[in-house]
């Protein structure tokens, strides 16, 4: 891809090593892993290696990894599969207001079918208060699902603390870790996690493959019924090349996670510092420190996110406004509204998410190109007419902690 790609939260390029690892499973080792002959066995061996590689990255056992068709499917599996498996115990699920739609819409689906769901609020940084969770748990609560890091604003939740409250109260805990697996260290045992969703294409693996970690001994009902694959937890002939690609992506991530975190956070910090200094009436969204190493997200007032994106695209710079799944719709992001931003401010959101291939020169180029784009758009915008640049302060949408000028 030509240009500057700052949209790694939407998807990442498939690493050449990953493609190389996958190719034999298209060309020679294309057997069905359920077949008993040697052609099936070599496909099964590829899958076994991948299962071990995914497990290693998470601190899990290989038999605790269930391969799925995506991160979305893993989230659906965790919520619906638990609602069915635990129906004798209760009918209450707790989640947060800022989850990805893969969790939120699944929770809403379950509500339509008789479950009760509590949506915990977040503060202006996007953090769930563990005390709110403690108060929300009742005798009928069967599952808590709180994402590890938010895909729009990058805030990382205090997952270990949240999970230990769940463990104390004997409630199962699921985390959507689609944005963190391979990018920040995770240990499912240390963190007391019962279910964890991940997606290959967010960590330099192929699209259309994910996994759900299911802690040993925890019951979950399958969503997809058939030949009993994945120990009866997800039927259908497995996507062997995709699974092998996911395994290789996890192996590489485990080796390189520290270096990638250092590289990305340097670029992220430079972007945050540069945008806040060079673009008047801009604010950082998400937590200044507890955030993904690759996420720099902002709102710029008196401007539409879509027009920023189109102008950046014209310069061959690729970014997002809110999440990729909601861009294209005129509704303000539920995440930005949940952290207390007013609709008009939320409409001016920009998410830059860097990756291992980005350079400091690309950041410099962005910081050269972006401020004049904002200036030009504001000059043309009816909503900015006659408003002084300092008008940002004192509005209903100013964050209670005033971190709009914070630099990470
Ligand atoms: N959860 C989060 C936090 C995400 O960011 C995404 C993708 O954007 C998903 C779930 C869905 O993953 P997939 O694209 O593999 O279905």
């Amino acid at each position: 891809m030509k240009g500057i790609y700052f949209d790694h939260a939407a998807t990442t390029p498939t690493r050449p090593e990953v493609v190389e690892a996958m190719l034999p499973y298209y060309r020679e080792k294309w057997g069905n892993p359920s077949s008993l002959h040697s052609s099936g066995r070599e496909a099964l061996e590829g899958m076994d290696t991948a299962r071990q590689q995914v497990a290693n990255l998470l601190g899990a056992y290989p038999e605790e990894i269930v391969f799925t068709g995506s991160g979305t499917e893993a989230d659906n599996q965790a919520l619906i599969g638990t609602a069915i498996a635990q129906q004798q115990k209760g009918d209450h699920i707790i989640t947060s207001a800022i989850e990805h739609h893969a969790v939120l819409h699944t929770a809403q689906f379950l509500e339509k079918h008789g479950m009760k769901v509590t949506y915990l609020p977040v503060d202006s940084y996007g953090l769930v208060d563990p005390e709110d969770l403690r108060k929300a748990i009742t005798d009928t609560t069967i599952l808590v699902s709180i994402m590890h890091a938010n895909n729009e604003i990058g805030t990382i939740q205090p997952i270990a603390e949240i999970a230990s409250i769940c463990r104390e109260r004997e409630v199962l805990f699921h985390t959507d870790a689609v944005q963190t697996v391979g990018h920040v260290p995770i240990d499912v045992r240390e963190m007391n996690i019962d279910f964890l969703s991940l997606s290959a294409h967010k960590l330099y693996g192929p699209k259309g493959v994910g996994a759900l970690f299911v802690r040993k001994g925890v019951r979950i009902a399958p969503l997809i019924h058939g030949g009993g694959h994945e120990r009866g937890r997800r039927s259908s002939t497995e996507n062997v090349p995709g699974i092998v690609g996911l395994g290789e992506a996890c192996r590489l991530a485990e080796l390189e996670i520290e270096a990638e975190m250092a590289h990305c956070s340097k670029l992220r910090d430079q972007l945050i510092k540069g945008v806040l200094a060079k673009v008047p009436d801009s604010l950082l969204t998400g937590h200044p420190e507890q955030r993904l190493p690759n996420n720099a997200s902002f709102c710029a007032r008196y401007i539409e996110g879509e027009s920023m994106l189109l102008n950046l695209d014209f310069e061959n710079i690729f970014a997002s406004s809110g999440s990729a799944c909601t861009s294209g719709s005129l509704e303000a992001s539920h995440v930005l509204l949940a952290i207390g931003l007013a609709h008009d401010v939320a409409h001016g959101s920009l998410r830059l998410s860097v990756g291992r291939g980005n350079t400091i020169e690309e950041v410099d180029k962005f910081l050269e190109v972006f401020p004049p784009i904002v200036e030009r758009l504001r000059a043309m915008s009816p909503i900015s007419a006659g408003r002084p640049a300092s008008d940002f302060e004192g509005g209903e949408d100013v964050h209670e902690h005033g971190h709009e000028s914070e630099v990470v």
Side-chain angles (χ1 to χ4, degrees), residues 204-219:
Y204 305 96
K207 291 169 185 60
V209 56
L212 181 68
F213 156 79
V214 180
R215 178 183 289 273
K216 242 184 196 168
V218 172
R219 276 188 312 127

Side-chain angles (χ1 to χ4, degrees), residues 63-300:
E63 58 274 24
E64 294 176 317
I65 305 301
V66 180
F67 292 118
T68 64
S70 63
T72 301
E73 186 191 319
D75 285 340
N76 274 258
Q77 174 66 70
L79 269 71
I80 302 172
T82 303
I84 296 170
Q86 304 287 327
Q87 55 191 321
Q88 304 302 338
K89 184 179 177 223
D91 61 357
H92 180 224
I93 288 179
I94 301 173
T95 186
S96 85
I98 62 162
E99 298 296 311
H100 189 273
H101 285 142
V103 166
L104 271 189
H105 287 169
T106 306
Q108 287 159 8
F109 167 81
L110 286 169
E111 263 186 303
K112 276 193 209 128
H113 290 271
M115 297 287 296
K116 296 178 183 67
V117 182
T118 301
Y119 300 91
L120 294 177
V122 292
D123 70 9
S124 61
Y125 293 133
L127 284 173
V128 168
D129 182 346
E131 284 316 304
D132 285 348
L133 170 66
R134 201 185 284 282
K135 285 183 210 139
I137 295 176
T138 70
D139 290 345
T140 60
T141 309
I142 53 165
L143 181 71
V144 171
S145 177
I146 305 287
M147 70 199 317
H148 192 191
N150 184 268
N151 47 300
E152 294 186 37
I153 58 174
T155 298
I156 299 180
Q157 300 294 339
I159 286 303
E161 193 182 345
I162 287 172
S164 66
I165 293 173
C166 296
R167 189 55 63 89
E168 222 174 85
R169 300 290 300 272
E170 295 181 10
V171 174
L172 293 171
F173 175 66
H174 166 248
T175 189
D176 173 341
V178 166
Q179 290 292 338
T180 49
V181 170
H183 302 289
V184 297
I186 294 177
D187 186 311
V188 287
R189 295 236 125 56
E190 247 171 44
M191 295 165 99
N192 281 324
I193 294 167
D194 297 304
F195 304 111
L196 177 145
S197 305
L198 63 93
S199 175
H201 76 102
K202 308 284 188 178
L203 67 142
Y204 305 96
K207 291 169 185 60
V209 56
L212 181 68
F213 156 79
V214 180
R215 178 183 289 273
K216 242 184 196 168
V218 172
R219 276 188 312 127
I220 191 156
L223 293 190
I224 302 180
H225 302 269
H229 305 73
E230 296 294 284
R231 296 167 174 255
R233 294 172 295 188
R234 203 264 191 187
S235 290
S236 87
T237 301
E238 299 86 347
N239 168 11
V240 180
I243 288 168
V244 166
L246 167 60
E248 177 67 1
C250 288
R251 185 186 74 80
L252 293 166
E254 201 190 348
L255 291 175
E256 298 173 12
I257 198 161
E258 296 297 332
E260 191 194 308
M261 281 173 70
H263 173 71
C264 287
S265 54
K266 194 168 132 208
L267 303 186
R268 172 200 68 185
D269 292 352
Q270 205 61 26
L271 280 168
I272 292 175
K273 200 166 128 199
V275 169
L276 295 181
K278 291 182 168 198
V279 179
D281 296 316
S282 63
L283 65 97
L284 176 69
T285 52
H287 197 280
E289 287 108 31
Q290 283 161 243
R291 68 186 300 132
L292 285 168
N294 66 356
N295 173 295
S297 52
F298 310 91
C299 281

Side-chain angles (χ1 to χ4, degrees), residues 292-308:
L292 285 168
N294 66 356
N295 173 295
S297 52
F298 310 91
C299 281
R301 208 167 190 187
Y302 316 131
I303 202 169
E304 287 290 331
E306 284 81 357
S307 35
M308 287 190 267

